[in-house]
Amino acid sequence: MRFVTFAEGALKGLAVETESGLRGLTENLPGYPGSLFDLLSGGLQALQHAHQKLSTAPLLDSGRIRHLPPIERPGKIVCVGLNYADHTKESPYDQPTYPTFFPRFSTTLIGHGEAIVRPQVSEQLDYEGELAVIIGTRGRHIAQEQALQHVAGYSIFNEASVRDYQFKSPQWTIGKNFDATGAFGPVFVSADELPPGARGLSLTTRLNGKIEQHGNTADMVFDVAHLIAVLSEAVTLEPGDVIVTGTPAGIGWARRPMLFMKPGDVCTVEIEGLGTLVNPIAAETPPA
């Protein structure tokens, strides 16, 4: 099952990918099944019922809609740093033996096709292509052997980071939470369509068409099941929560000269089986 959250004018909607294109309904129409977040709370049966219903909905005009993040306001977005050994080697850190968790706020999220905004206070806007995990079943103290049963599906994330602000303090929260820097989407893909734990998927980040990152989810130091088990030792995971699993080597900060995204650029993140997330880069508009 492949779901897309979208907006048509002021109306929000939900669609599914089909061979003929996106088919979906806006929230004002009969038969609208609810948001993806609502459906996740209803479990697998709710997702399947909505998918079946939307598969016969009208085709959407791609020119009239804009993509929204699959989950617009997750209860929690937990990111993982230094989760690819090759990326750790290009960073100023040693490889941790415990996952490096940090938060990202839902107000940073944008959808596929929307502009990642370079803030007016910095020119160090960097790309990070990552696999996103969407939780489907609530749990705490989840055993690693059962962890993947709590995953509803997966998507793509570009965790654009403002590097000089990231390194202003020992923890990275501010540099990872500027408005309009968390690109998320375009599609939510149910877990049954991918290998267990989304393992073994090629991940490629391009800036203006040039490959800057190329990795594989099999190279994660802590895989999806491990991350869920360790995180749930402390945190109750709930439907719609998102875990952003880390980026492979090739970030712009590690290059000499450094390579940062600038207004007018286009950044794409492609993950095998999930599609391609595309976002232009824009400058922050100063307040009036």
Side-chain angles (χ1 to χ4, degrees), residues 7-248:
E8 186 172 358
L11 296 170
K12 296 177 181 180
L14 188 67
V16 294
E17 278 193 348
T18 70
E19 291 183 357
S20 54
L22 287 179
R23 293 183 178 273
L25 296 169
T26 49
E27 58 192 339
N28 63 318
L29 294 176
Y32 172 69
S35 70
L36 183 58
F37 181 86
D38 293 336
L39 293 172
L40 290 173
S41 299
L44 179 60
Q45 188 172 5
L47 282 174
Q48 291 172 332
H49 180 70
H51 187 271
Q52 183 178 19
K53 181 177 294 187
L54 292 173
S55 294
T56 58
L59 281 169
L60 299 178
D61 181 347
S62 60
R64 293 174 55 88
I65 68 168
R66 62 184 181 91
H67 286 75
L68 301 175
I71 308 292
E72 284 193 272
R73 291 290 182 263
K76 292 183 284 295
I77 307 169
V78 181
C79 299
V80 185
L82 308 175
N83 201 26
Y84 288 76
D86 58 356
H87 171 53
T88 304
K89 289 177 181 177
E90 67 179 1
S91 76
Y93 304 101
D94 295 327
Q95 182 63 55
T97 57
Y98 183 89
T100 304
F101 295 119
F102 59 92
R104 185 175 262 275
F105 308 138
S106 60
T107 50
T108 71
L109 297 183
I110 59 170
H112 168 73
E114 298 294 300
I116 295 172
V117 175
R118 188 180 75 175
Q120 56 184 322
V121 296
S122 175
E123 294 185 352
Q124 294 193 7
L125 180 65
D126 208 347
Y127 49 82
E128 290 192 9
E130 310 196 23
L131 172 74
V133 180
I134 294 91
I135 298 297
T137 305
R138 189 178 190 273
R140 174 94 195 276
H141 295 298
I142 300 168
Q144 189 166 334
E145 295 75 19
Q146 279 79 51
L148 295 184
Q149 298 174 22
H150 291 258
V151 176
Y154 301 89
S155 192
I156 305 173
F157 210 95
N158 188 347
E159 211 220 344
S161 303
V162 182
R163 295 298 183 196
D164 46 352
Y165 275 75
Q166 178 183 344
F167 297 127
K168 280 181 180 287
S169 69
Q171 49 81 22
W172 307 335
T173 304
I174 291 299
K176 298 286 190 172
N177 278 287
F178 276 72
D179 284 354
T181 59
F184 183 22
V187 183
F188 164 92
V189 179
S190 59
D192 61 322
E193 291 207 6
L194 298 170
R199 185 175 177 85
L201 305 181
S202 174
L203 186 162
T204 304
T205 304
R206 295 177 174 86
L207 185 61
N208 300 324
K210 180 184 177 184
I211 294 176
E212 303 296 352
Q213 292 182 293
H214 186 64
N216 192 289
T217 58
D219 296 330
M220 288 193 289
V221 176
F222 306 106
D223 64 15
V224 172
H226 188 103
L227 292 172
I228 290 171
V230 172
L231 183 58
S232 71
E233 290 175 352
V235 174
T236 298
L237 295 175
E238 299 174 306
D241 286 350
V242 178
I243 302 172
V244 184
T245 58
T247 198

